């Protein structure tokens, strides 16, 4: 059962990385610089089942980048409402310095995503009602591409919780070198 379920999880993550499906949007948790939890939605952009990694893109200037640099441990959660399944993941995030991988991802993004990196203000900058920044600071003269971050999370644990029936079913998979050790857990 565990091998079949593990394959199913990776298959669903693979589908989610390439199309609108329940786990296409995941909630990403980091530790804030003050230690408080920080949580936000991200779009899953890539899944590599062989390496056990997931990738997303973000703005290099966003707080989550500083948080990941300070503490790379992250958690992710997704929920498929039609199947009543929660997928809970954890691992270590790396901000990619692989130029080929960055460029490949950049070139795969649609115009409406690329345009986000044109924004002159760092995410979270306070704006007035007209969209102008209230905070002091020069708009960045960096190119949009320089603001583009590809973040890859090497997962070390995956958890599947199915609450579709009266008897909830929960499994966990922990990384064990190149393989995964699965176990059924009390829900
Ligand atoms: C549907 C949806 C998808 C999003 N996808 C991303 C994403 O892929 N990358 C990203 O950096 N922010 C994404 N955001 C915005 C983040 O949730 C967050 O507000 C923003 O990145 C600032 O986060 P931070 O201040 O924690 O760095 C998305 C928001 C929504 C509502």
């Amino acid at each position: 059962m565990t091998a079949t379920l593990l394959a199913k999880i990776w298959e669903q993550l693979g589908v989610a990385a390439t199309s609108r499906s329940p786990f296409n949007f995941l909630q990403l948790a980091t530790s804030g610089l003050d230690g408080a939890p920080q949580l936000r939605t991200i779009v899953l952009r890539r899944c590599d089942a062989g390496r056990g990694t997931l990738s997303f893109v973000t703005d290099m200037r966003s707080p989550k980048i500083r948080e990941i640099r300070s503490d790379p441990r992250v958690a992710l959660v997704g929920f498929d409402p039609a199947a009543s399944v929660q997928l809970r993941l954890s691992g270590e995030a790396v901000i990619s310095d692989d130029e080929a991988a960055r460029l490949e991802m950049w070139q795969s993004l649609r115009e409406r995503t690329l345009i986000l990196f044109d924004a002159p203000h760092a995410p979270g900058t306070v704006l007035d009602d007209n969209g102008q920044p209230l905070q002091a600071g020069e708009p960045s003269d960096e190119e949009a591409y320089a603001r583009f971050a590809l973040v890859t999370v090497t997962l070390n644990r995956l958890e599947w919780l199915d609450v579709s029936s009266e008897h909830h079913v929960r499994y966990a998979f922990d990384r064990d070198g190149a393989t995964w050790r699965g176990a059924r857990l009390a829900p």
Side-chain angles (χ1 to χ4, degrees):
M1 166 65 186
T2 54
T4 313
L5 179 57
L6 183 62
K8 179 174 165 175
I9 292 171
W10 283 113
E11 188 196 327
Q12 291 201 5
L13 286 170
V15 170
T18 51
S19 58
R20 284 275 178 266
S21 68
F23 300 130
N24 183 229
F25 295 120
L26 296 173
Q27 274 65 54
L28 168 79
T30 51
S31 294
L33 297 182
D34 61 358
Q38 294 293 334
L39 190 61
R40 80 289 280 163
T41 306
I42 53 101
V43 176
L44 177 62
R45 298 282 177 185
R46 187 144 299 160
C47 163
D48 185 331
R51 290 194 170 99
T53 61
L54 302 180
S55 301
F56 64 93
V57 304
T58 192
D59 191 308
M60 205 61 98
R61 301 165 296 175
S62 69
K64 69 179 85 52
I65 289 286
R66 296 192 285 282
E67 292 162 6
I68 288 168
R69 286 204 164 111
S70 164
D71 185 345
R73 293 174 302 168
V74 299
L76 296 134
V77 71
F79 177 61
D80 177 348
S84 295
V85 165
Q86 171 183 267
L87 189 54
R88 190 173 166 187
L89 313 163
S90 53
E92 291 227 345
V94 166
I95 297 140
S96 180
D97 58 6
D98 178 339
E99 210 39 53
R102 271 186 87 224
L103 189 59
E104 187 198 352
M105 178 62 81
W106 177 262
Q107 289 171 340
S108 76
L109 297 173
R110 280 182 286 191
E111 194 58 35
R112 67 166 193 242
T113 303
L114 295 179
I115 216 156
L116 298 172
F117 297 93
D118 274 335
H121 318 305
T125 303
V126 177
L127 305 177
D128 67 17
D129 287 342
N130 301 317
Q132 299 302 311
L134 295 174
Q135 289 179 336
E138 291 297 309
S140 169
D141 58 0
E142 291 173 356
E143 297 287 306
Y145 182 65
R147 298 174 181 137
F148 165 72
L150 170 63
V151 181
T152 296
V153 181
T154 300
L155 297 180
N156 51 37
R157 186 175 168 94
L158 303 90
E159 262 199 41
W160 175 272
L161 174 64
D162 180 339
V163 297
S164 60
S165 73
E166 192 183 327
H167 301 291
H168 297 178
V169 180
R170 179 177 176 188
Y171 279 87
F173 299 88
D174 286 295
R175 185 183 281 277
D176 186 7
T179 59
W180 295 89
R181 199 165 13 87
R184 185 162 184 176
L185 306 179

